[in-house]
Amino acid sequence: MSADDQVLVGRSITKRFGGLVALNDVSIEVPKRSIVGLVGPNGAGKSTLFGCLSGLTRPEGGSVMLNGRDVTRTKPQKRARLGMARTFQQPELFTGLTVREHIVLAHRVRFERRRLWSDMVGPRSIMKPPASETEAVDAIIELLEIERLASMPVTALPLGSTRLVEVARALACAPDVLLLDEPLSGLDVNESEALARALVKVVTEAERDLSLLLVEHDVATVLAISKKIYVLDFGQLIASGTPDEIRSSDIVRAAYLGDDAVSETAAD
Amino acid sequence: MVQYIIAGLVLGGIYAISSSGLVVTYESSGILNFAFGSIAFFIARLYYFLNIQHNMGITVSAVLSLVVAAPALGILLYFALFRFLRLSSSLVKVVATLGLSVALPAVATTLFGNISILVAPGLAPQPVHVFMVAGVPITMDQVIVYISVILTVVVGGLVLRFTEVGLRVRAMVDSPAMTSLSGTNPVRVSVGVWAVSTFFAGLAGILAAPIIGLDSQHFTLLVAAAFAAVVAARLRSIPIAVMVSFAMGIATSLIQYYLPSSSVWTSRMITAVPFLFIAIFLVYNLILRRDLSDSTKVGSALDAAIEPHGQGVLESSEAAVLDASMGFIARYSGPIVVAIIAMVLPFLMSGVWLTLLVQAYALGIVFLAITLVTGEGGMIWLCQITFAGIGGLWTAQLATDYHWPVLLAVLAGGLIALPVGLLVGFLTIRLGGLYVALITLTFALLMESLYFTQGRFSNGGLGVNVLRPSFATSDRAFAYVCLFVFILVALFVVNLRRSTTGMALDAVRSSEPGARTLGISVVQMKIVVAGLAALLAGIGGGMLVVAQTAAQPVNYSTFLGVVWLAVVVSIGIRSSIAALVAGITFLVFPQLVTTYLPTAWSQIPVILFGLGAIGVAKFPQGTVEQNGEKFRRILLKQAKKRSDKKELALTSPQGEAT
Ligand SMILES: Nc1ncnc2c1ncn2[C@@H]1O[C@H](COP(=O)(O)OP(=O)(O)OP(=O)(O)O)[C@@H](O)[C@H]1O
Ligand SMILES: [Mg+2]
C-alpha cells in the first residue's frame, strides 16, 4: 500500500515516563476509509500512543503523518483542523454545556471558525442557527441515538452516555481520522452494539471520508468490525494483521487474549 | 557588609521557614495556603497581646501562642475549612484561603484591640542581648532565628524524608484513600500536617514581627517573598525553596547596603525583589519551554470515586435542566428585577448613601472584569485592581493634566490597561492556575509599590482631582451614567457568555485537552479574555475615579483587590447581576455597619467578606446563583402546578364521559 492511501501514519514512536518506556519504537498505519483496531492489556501504552498521535503528549522520538503531511511538531489544535479528532478514556467534556452544545461548538469550530470571535460582539447568539448547522448536528444526534440526551447538561449524565457525547463531539469535527479510546466501556450490551453499528455506518457512508483507530478492551467487537488490528504489550508492538491473523497468532494468544476469547470470536 | 549579610540571612531564614511550611502543606494536602501570612500575623499579634498587653512572660506567651494556640487554630481550620477543599477546583481553593487571609487580620484586630504597634519584640528578652562574634555584632533575636531555621529546615526535612511519619505524610500526597487502606488514618495525618503548618506560620510571624513590624500589610510582603520561593521551587522542592529564600534575603540586604537608605528607590527595590525572582523564573521557563502545570487533580481515581460529587456540580446540573425547560421571562426574571431596583435606587437615596451608590455602580464595572476573567476565562487573576488602578490614575492624568474630555480619558485609561493585561497574560497563560494566582498577586504588589507610588499620581498625598462631565455633575445624574455603562458592559459579557466565544471559553475552562483536540487554541482564547478584562477593569477604574472625583493611588492596594475578588466570588462569579450586587454590598454594607453599630464592630464587614469567600468551599456558585436557583425552582413548581391543573381540567370531563 502506498503512503497516499494512509490517512494517519505513526513511525517509530518512542515515549518514556522517567525510567518507564511507555512506547518503544511503535509504528502504526491507518488506511483511508477503514476501521483499525488497537488492543493490548492495561498499561500497554494505548492511551499514550493516542496522546502522541493527537499531539497532547510529546514523544521522544518518531514522527506522525496526517494526510501525507508531517505533523510531528504541530500543535493539537492545528492537527484537529487538519482532520484529526479523538475521544478520551476519562471523558474530557465541557461542564457548562449541554450535549447538543458540545456538537454545535465542534461544528462551528470546524466550519465557522470566525464565529469564535465575531459572535462576541454580534447578535448572532440570539439568532436562529443556520439550517446547515442544525441539519448536521441533528444527523449526528440521530446517528448515535442520543435525542433523549440532547438538551441535558453533561454533568447530569452517567459514564456510558458521556462516551457517546465524546464520540458525537468528535464526529462533529468532520475528521478524516478519529481516534477512539475505549468508547464502549461503560455502555450496556445494547448500547454497545448500537454504537458499534453506528461506527461501521459512518465509515461506510459515502459522503464521509472517515477512518477510525479504535482502542477497545472488548476484543470480540474489535475483531468483528476492524479491517486491521495492532497489538501492543508493554509499549511494544507485538503483532499486527487482519482479524483472522490476530485470532490465530500464538504470540497474541500468549501475551494477551485468553484462550476463551479467541475460541469465542472464532466461533462467530 | 558582614552585618548586612547576617541580617539578610535572618530575613532569608524567615522566608525559608515560611516557604518550606507552604511547600510541605501543599505537598501533603494539595492546598497552597494563601492565608499563611494572615495566620502568621494572627499568631504574632496574639503573642504581642499576651506578652505586652497582658505582661505575661516571654516563655509563657510563646508557649501559649505557638504550642497551644497555633496548632489549635490549624486543627480548627482543618475541620472548618481545609478538609472540604481537597478535591475542589483550584479557584475554590485559592478563593477560600484568600477569604481566610482577609478575615483573620480583622478577627485579630477585633479580638486583640485596634492599637498601632510601633515596635514588636521578638522571642529574646529585652533589652536584646548582643553577642560579638569575630568583631561582628549579632543580636539574640538573630541567633534565635538561626536556631529556628536550622531546626525547622534540617530536622523537618530529615523527619519528612526518613521517618515513618514522613512516609505517611508523603503517602497522603498520592492518595488518602490508599493511605487509609493501608491502615493509617488520613484524617489524623491531615490534622497533624495543618497543626504543624500553623505552628510554622506562627513561628515565622513572631520571628518576623521585630524586623518588618506587626502590621498585616507588611505581612503580605513577607508572604510575597515566600510565594516567590515557592514558585521557584515549582511548588514542591523544599531545598530549592530554602535556597531561593536565602538568596532573596541576602539580595534585600545588599540593596540596603549599596543604595542610600534615604532614597525612595531603596524601598521600592526591596519590595520588587520577590517579583524579580519570579520574573527570572518565568523567563527561564519560557526559554526552556518547560511545562508548568500544577497537577491540581490531587488524589487517585480511587479518591475521586469514593468522594461524593461536589454538591455544586449536581445542583448546577439540576439548574441547567431547569433552565432548559423554562421560558424567557422566568429565566430573566432575576436580572430584570435587579435592573429595575438599580434604576429606582438613585431616586430613593440621598447624601452619603447616594455618593456610595454612584461608586458602587462604577465598582460593578470593575467587578464585571473579574466575572469575565475568572468566571468565564477560568483564570485566577489577583491583579484586577491593578488594571483598575492604571485606568483610574491615567483617567485623572489625562482629564486633569492634559485636559481631555473626561469620558474619553476613561476610555483611554482602559486602553492603557489593555496591553498590560495582555503582557501579564502572555507571561502566565501556559502556567497552571496556582502559578497564575501567585504571579498575579506578586505583580499587583510590585505595581502597588513601584508604579503607583510615583509623584505624578500621589500628588503629594492629595491625589489628582477629576471633574465629572458637565452634563452629569450631580451624584444622581452620574449614577445613571455609571449604570448605563454598567449595563452596556453587562450586556456585552452576557452576550459573550451565550455566544460561540462563551461556549469555547467553557470548553477551555473545563477541559484543555478536550478544547485543543477540538481545534480551539487555549492560549488565544485566554489572551483575548485577559486583554478584554484588563480593558474593562481599566474603564471601570476610570469610572470609579470620576465617581469619586479624585484619583488616589492608595485606593489600589493589592490586599483590597483580594477582598474584591472574595466579595465577587462569594456573591457569584458567573453572574453579571452578582457583579452589581457585589459592588453595592462592598461599599454600602460597611457604611451601614459604621453608621448603626458601635465602633468595636468596625471589622465585621471585612470578616464577613472573608467568611463569604470561605463559604465558596461549600457553595462554589456564590449566593446570587444559589438563591436565584431557589427562586427559579419555585417559579417552575408554580408553573407545573398550573399546567397540572389545566390537564386535570381537560381530562376529568373525559373520564366522566367514559
Ligand atoms: N503521565 C504519565 N506519567 C507517568 N507514567 C505514565 C503517564 N501516563 C501513562 N503512564 C504509564 O505509561 C504506561 C502506559 O499507560 P497507558 O495509559 O498508555 O496504557 P493503556 O494501554 O491506555 O492502559 P489502559 O488499558 O489501562 O487504558 C502505564 O504504565 C502508565 O502507568
Ligand atoms: Mg488507556
Side-chain angles (χ1 to χ4, degrees), chain A residues 56 76-77 80 86 88 92-96 101 104-106 108-109 113 115-117 119-120 122 125 153 155 169 173, chain B residues 313 317 320-321 492 495-496 499-501 503-504 506-507 510-511 513-520 524-525 528 532:
Chain A
L56 290 171
Q77 55 266 33
R86 70 167 288 184
F88 294 86
E92 294 277 356
L93 294 177
F94 309 141
T95 48
E101 282 168 337
V104 167
L105 177 63
R108 288 189 191 159
V109 171
R113 222 186 146 65
R115 290 192 66 176
L116 269 186
W117 306 113
D119 268 19
M120 191 160 58
S125 60
T155 43
R169 178 179 71 184
C173 299
Chain B
V313 174
S317 60
V321 173
F492 170 76
N495 181 59
L496 181 138
S499 69
T500 315
T501 322
M503 289 201 272
D506 192 293
S510 33
S511 163
R516 298 180 74 193
T517 47
L518 216 57
I520 298 170
Q524 265 178 26
M525 296 299 302
V528 168
L532 274 175

Side-chain angles (χ1 to χ4, degrees), chain B residues 478-554:
Chain B
F478 198 68
Y480 284 108
V481 176
C482 289
L483 191 59
F484 178 72
V485 177
F486 176 87
I487 290 177
L488 275 188
V489 175
L491 286 178
F492 170 76
V493 172
V494 170
N495 181 59
L496 181 138
R497 181 181 305 145
R498 295 175 43 94
S499 69
T500 315
T501 322
M503 289 201 272
L505 279 175
D506 192 293
V508 167
R509 212 172 46 237
S510 33
S511 163
E512 291 199 5
R516 298 180 74 193
T517 47
L518 216 57
I520 298 170
S521 164
V522 172
V523 173
Q524 265 178 26
M525 296 299 302
K526 285 191 168 182
I527 294 246
V528 168
V529 169
L532 274 175
L535 172 72
L536 293 185
I539 290 176
M543 291 302 286
L544 192 57
V545 156
V546 183
Q548 291 164 332
T549 65
Q552 284 277 14
V554 289

Side-chain angles (χ1 to χ4, degrees), chain A residues 215-230:
Chain A
V215 163
E216 191 43 68
H217 279 298
D218 178 358
V219 183
T221 308
V222 178
L223 287 171
I225 68 176
S226 304
K227 177 170 161 190
K228 186 177 175 190
I229 289 160
Y230 289 90

Side-chain angles (χ1 to χ4, degrees), chain B residues 352-558:
Chain B
V352 63
W353 299 103
L354 184 56
T355 312
L356 282 176
L357 190 70
V358 185
Q359 295 176 21
Y361 286 175
L363 189 60
I365 304 169
V366 181
F367 285 1
L368 278 176
I370 298 180
T371 309
L372 185 63
V373 76
T374 305
E376 295 306 308
M379 291 175 269
I380 314 169
W381 280 34
L382 303 179
C383 61
Q384 232 50 35
I385 196 167
T386 310
F387 303 130
I390 294 174
L393 295 173
W394 274 102
T395 297
Q397 295 289 312
L398 294 173
T400 303
D401 294 357
Y402 297 87
H403 310 292
W404 287 30
V406 69
L407 290 183
L408 189 65
V410 169
L411 187 64
L415 288 174
I416 295 173
L418 172 78
V420 186
L422 289 177
L423 180 71
V424 175
F426 176 74
L427 283 175
T428 60
I429 240 116
R430 286 180 179 282
L431 309 179
L434 277 179
Y435 286 102
V436 175
L438 285 170
I439 290 164
T440 49
L441 185 72
T442 27
F443 172 73
L445 285 168
L446 178 86
M447 291 293 280
E448 179 189 342
S449 54
L450 269 190
Y451 187 68
F452 292 169
T453 44
Q454 287 181 39
R456 67 189 310 170
F457 296 134
S458 66
N459 191 20
L462 296 172
V464 179
N465 286 335
V466 185
L467 291 178
R468 287 186 185 159
S470 52
F471 61 87
T473 47
S474 76
D475 277 346
R476 191 159 290 146
F478 198 68
Y480 284 108
V481 176
C482 289
L483 191 59
F484 178 72
V485 177
F486 176 87
I487 290 177
L488 275 188
V489 175
L491 286 178
F492 170 76
V493 172
V494 170
N495 181 59
L496 181 138
R497 181 181 305 145
R498 295 175 43 94
S499 69
T500 315
T501 322
M503 289 201 272
L505 279 175
D506 192 293
V508 167
R509 212 172 46 237
S510 33
S511 163
E512 291 199 5
R516 298 180 74 193
T517 47
L518 216 57
I520 298 170
S521 164
V522 172
V523 173
Q524 265 178 26
M525 296 299 302
K526 285 191 168 182
I527 294 246
V528 168
V529 169
L532 274 175
L535 172 72
L536 293 185
I539 290 176
M543 291 302 286
L544 192 57
V545 156
V546 183
Q548 291 164 332
T549 65
Q552 284 277 14
V554 289
N555 289 348
Y556 307 104
S557 77
T558 309

Side-chain angles (χ1 to χ4, degrees), chain A residues 98-116:
Chain A
T98 65
V99 172
R100 190 184 177 88
E101 282 168 337
H102 275 81
I103 307 172
V104 167
L105 177 63
H107 181 87
R108 288 189 191 159
V109 171
R110 180 80 165 93
F111 294 104
E112 285 186 286
R113 222 186 146 65
R114 272 192 18 245
R115 290 192 66 176
L116 269 186

Side-chain angles (χ1 to χ4, degrees), chain B residues 296-333:
Chain B
T296 39
K297 283 179 190 142
V298 189
S300 65
L302 184 59
D303 294 285
I306 60 174
E307 190 77 6
H309 251 302
Q311 211 187 352
V313 174
L314 289 183
E315 291 212 340
S316 72
S317 60
E318 234 176 79
V321 173
L322 277 182
D323 265 353
S325 61
M326 236 185 297
F328 180 85
I329 300 286
R331 199 183 302 178
Y332 293 103
S333 51

Side-chain angles (χ1 to χ4, degrees), chain A residues 100 103 136-147 150:
Chain A
R100 190 184 177 88
I103 307 172
V137 172
D138 284 343
I140 291 172
I141 291 179
E142 204 177 309
L143 174 76
L144 297 174
E145 300 172 17
I146 50 174
E147 293 90 345

